[in-house]
Amino acid sequence: MMIKCLAIDDEPLALQQLAAYIKKIPYLELVGECQSALDAKAIMEKDIIDAIFIDINMPDLNGMDFIRSLSVPPIVVFTTAYSEYAVEGYKVDAVDYLLKPFGLDDFQRAALKVKKQYELQNAQPTIISTPDEDDALFLKTDYKVVRVNVSDIRYVEGMSEYLKIYLHDRKPIVVLLSMKKMEERLPNYFMRIHRSYIVNLKYIQEVNKNRVILDADTFLPIGDLYRSAFNEYLDSKFLGK
C-alpha cells in the first residue's frame, strides 16, 4: 500500500521540511512539492492524489479555500503557524492539524491518521454481494441492507470516503465505499469518466465537449485522466464520418 501525497507550502524551507518528512514514512509516496494551491490543482487534474499536506496561509488561494473548492477532496492534513485555524480545519473534515513548528514525531502521528482514513476508504464491507444473473447488488446504507439492480444505477458520485449512488427509480443512496472498489464491482457497461464519477453508459444521451449529458438536469464532467478511454468507447460506437 502506497498513499500518493502532495506537499503544499508557499515557504520554500517549510516545503522542503514537509517533503522530507513525507519521504521518511514508508507508506507515503511523495508525488509533488507545490508552492501554491494552483500548482497542486494542476497536478490533481492529471493524477489521482490520496492525501495532501497543505499550509493554510498562502497567497492567491489559501489552503482552506482550496479544499472547499474541491468537489471530492483527498485526505487532508493542514499545517500552519496560527492555532486559531484549528477549528476551521476540522470543519472541512481534515484528519489532522499540525501547528508549526512541528517535529517528526508530530508528523508521524498525523501520517498514521492519514493511513487509517485511507484504509477506511478502501475497505470492502459495504458491498454484500456482486452482480450475478439477476443483476442485483446488496449494499449497506443507514444501518440496513438494500437491494439495488445494477442496471438501475445511472451514475455514482464520489464524496470523500462515501459514494452517492443515483438510481433510475428511487432516491439516491449513500454508502461507505471507495470509488476504486465500486468500479471493480460494476459490469463493463459502466465507465469511470472523472475522479469523482462513474457513469452507466446506457444512460448517456449526449456528449458535449468535456461533459456527458444524461438528461436535461444532469451533466457529468469528463476528466483529463479518463478522456482517452472514453473517446475509445465513443469511437467504437460512432457511426458516420
Side-chain angles (χ1 to χ4, degrees), residues 204-213 222 230-231 234:
I204 295 176
Q205 300 299 315
E206 186 177 335
V207 180
N208 188 341
K209 296 182 179 179
N210 295 324
R211 62 184 185 176
V212 298
I213 300 172
I222 303 170
F230 183 72
N231 285 340
L234 284 184

Side-chain angles (χ1 to χ4, degrees), residues 3 10 43 58 60 63 76 87 97 106 111 147 156 181 185 188 196 210 220 232 236 240:
I3 303 172
D10 64 308
I43 293 176
M58 295 188 294
D60 297 327
V76 178
V87 174
Y97 175 94
D106 293 325
R147 176 191 171 107
V156 179
K181 296 301 180 185
R185 298 296 185 103
N188 59 10
S196 303
N210 295 324
L220 306 181
E232 287 183 12
S236 72

Side-chain angles (χ1 to χ4, degrees), residues 18-239:
L18 186 58
Y21 284 165
I22 292 173
K23 291 175 183 177
K24 289 179 182 293
I25 307 299
Y27 49 82
L28 299 184
E29 176 188 349
L30 181 63
V31 175
E33 303 173 36
C34 307
Q35 287 190 260
S36 75
L38 298 178
D39 291 342
K41 188 174 183 179
I43 293 176
M44 293 172 69
E45 288 175 350
K46 297 178 181 178
D47 202 352
I48 296 175
I49 301 299
D50 301 309
I52 59 177
F53 296 82
I54 182 169
D55 186 26
I56 293 177
N57 294 84
M58 295 188 294
D60 297 327
L61 182 62
N62 74 45
M64 200 77 68
D65 289 339
F66 173 60
I67 299 304
R68 290 193 181 105
S69 74
L70 301 175
S71 58
V72 184
I75 302 166
V76 178
V77 174
F78 283 119
T79 67
T80 184
Y82 302 94
S83 59
E84 62 267 25
Y85 284 112
V87 174
E88 290 297 315
Y90 290 117
K91 284 183 180 178
V92 294
D93 294 328
V95 298
D96 208 354
Y97 175 94
L98 291 169
L99 185 62
K100 296 178 180 179
F102 54 86
L104 181 58
D105 287 347
D106 293 325
F107 184 84
Q108 286 176 325
R109 284 191 287 270
L112 186 58
K113 291 181 181 179
V114 169
K115 180 174 180 285
K116 289 180 178 177
Q117 183 70 15
Y118 178 85
E119 290 172 344
L120 175 65
Q121 292 180 8
N122 290 276
Q124 300 188 49
T126 301
I127 297 183
I128 307 300
S129 67
T130 54
D132 53 24
E133 290 79 6
D134 67 357
D135 188 42
L137 282 175
F138 287 89
L139 303 169
K140 286 183 180 178
T141 180
D142 294 332
Y143 307 104
K144 60 187 177 183
V145 176
V146 299
R147 176 191 171 107
V148 171
N149 290 327
V150 176
S151 57
D152 288 336
I153 299 175
R154 300 176 68 230
Y155 66 98
V156 179
E157 180 183 9
M159 305 186 304
S160 188
E161 67 265 34
Y162 293 91
L163 299 180
K164 191 171 186 179
I165 300 173
Y166 292 82
L167 301 164
H168 170 67
D169 56 351
R170 54 176 144 156
K171 293 181 179 179
I173 62 173
V174 177
V175 298
L176 178 63
L177 192 70
S178 72
M179 289 287 279
K180 181 180 179 181
K181 296 301 180 185
M182 189 66 175
E183 188 177 12
E184 290 172 352
R185 298 296 185 103
L186 291 172
N188 59 10
Y189 56 87
F190 285 83
M191 181 176 286
R192 183 93 172 258
I193 61 168
H194 187 274
R195 66 190 304 267
S196 303
Y197 293 103
I198 299 171
V199 66
N200 185 335
L201 298 168
K202 297 179 180 181
Y203 282 94
I204 295 176
Q205 300 299 315
E206 186 177 335
V207 180
N208 188 341
K209 296 182 179 179
N210 295 324
R211 62 184 185 176
V212 298
I213 300 172
L214 305 191
D215 56 47
D217 300 312
T218 309
F219 308 85
L220 306 181
I222 303 170
D224 290 340
L225 201 61
Y226 307 93
R227 192 182 312 280
S228 177
F230 183 72
N231 285 340
E232 287 183 12
Y233 163 75
L234 284 184
D235 289 343
S236 72
K237 300 294 182 180
F238 191 74
L239 184 63

